[in-house]
Amino acid sequence: AAMREAGSGLKTAWRGQITGAGLGRRLANSIRSQTYPKAGESLNAAALVWSKAPVIVGAHDTGPLIRSKNGFWLAIPLPAAGKGRRGAKLTPGEWERRRGIRLRFVYRRRGPSLLVADGRLNAKGLGVASRSKTGRGRATVPVFLLVPQVKLPKRLNLDRDAERALDSVPGLIVANWVEGHLKSY
């Protein structure tokens, strides 16, 4: 009973921390708990609390530095890029293939560099090719920000809650032991 309480308390604390950090209900619901043995009492009882999305939760817990795979740039899509298939983020190559426009690299000394498209913004605010022969409505539209690396902020402190749950176990054992013996008399 004590391990069940400690495990469910830790799960609730982690879920509250994730939603409090603004990471959403779905990520919070990825936190699961299990108590062993599943039925009955045991002196070797244990509780396991884990996430079904450990990479995402771990990244927000540690606050890592994210770099591109081959050491060039990370392309961060701007609103003019739109969405990819099924709402996924677009890559610059995919964007060029879908729109039929070549992206141009613009280096800036201060601030991030850009990938821009020479076209126009449509009514939805997406960068598209300009069909005008006179150049009316043409614009250089920033589509992607290029940064060498991104530091993810540390939003969670899961170790703190785990230590609290661990420290509460002896008190929970005593409380449940006393409660169990008082019922039997």
Side-chain angles (χ1 to χ4, degrees):
M3 294 311 293
R4 199 173 303 112
E5 278 183 52
S8 65
L10 180 59
K11 177 178 79 170
T12 305
W14 281 4
R15 284 183 174 185
Q17 214 178 117
I18 290 171
T19 53
L23 299 174
R25 254 318 332 129
R26 281 184 69 189
L27 188 61
N29 286 340
S30 77
I31 303 294
R32 305 295 165 93
S33 70
Q34 183 69 55
T35 308
Y36 300 99
K38 291 186 180 182
E41 279 86 35
S42 171
L43 290 175
N44 295 324
L48 176 65
V49 180
W50 76 95
S51 172
K52 291 192 71 134
V55 175
I56 298 169
V57 172
H60 288 289
D61 189 34
T62 58
L65 187 68
I66 301 172
R67 292 190 171 141
S68 71
K69 289 179 186 171
N70 32 7
F72 291 112
W73 301 93
L74 285 174
I76 300 169
L78 294 171
K83 294 276 187 201
R85 297 179 136 224
R86 297 187 184 127
K89 299 271 187 210
L90 277 173
T91 64
E94 168 103 14
W95 192 91
E96 285 181 338
R97 255 190 322 282
R98 294 174 106 211
R99 298 283 196 280
I101 308 172
R102 297 283 298 158
L103 291 171
R104 189 167 46 92
F105 178 77
V106 176
Y107 176 76
R108 299 191 314 176
R109 254 190 224 141
R110 293 175 192 250
S113 298
L114 300 169
L115 281 179
V116 298
D118 295 319
R120 65 181 178 85
L121 285 176
N122 69 5
K124 293 179 184 174
L126 303 177
V128 294
S130 176
R131 293 186 299 271
S132 170
K133 291 185 177 31
T134 61
R136 181 183 58 83
R138 284 184 75 90
T140 300
V141 181
V143 182
F144 290 95
L145 281 179
L146 297 174
V147 292
Q149 60 194 20
V150 174
K151 177 83 169 105
L152 198 65
K154 183 173 169 35
R155 293 179 170 182
L156 305 174
N157 191 350
L158 301 179
D159 289 340
R160 178 191 63 209
D161 288 340
E163 289 295 324
R164 279 190 197 146
L166 194 61
D167 293 342
S168 72
V169 169
L172 290 171
I173 290 172
V174 169
N176 283 303
W177 187 275
V178 170
E179 187 178 297
H181 281 296
L182 288 176
K183 286 180 184 174
S184 64
Y185 288 116

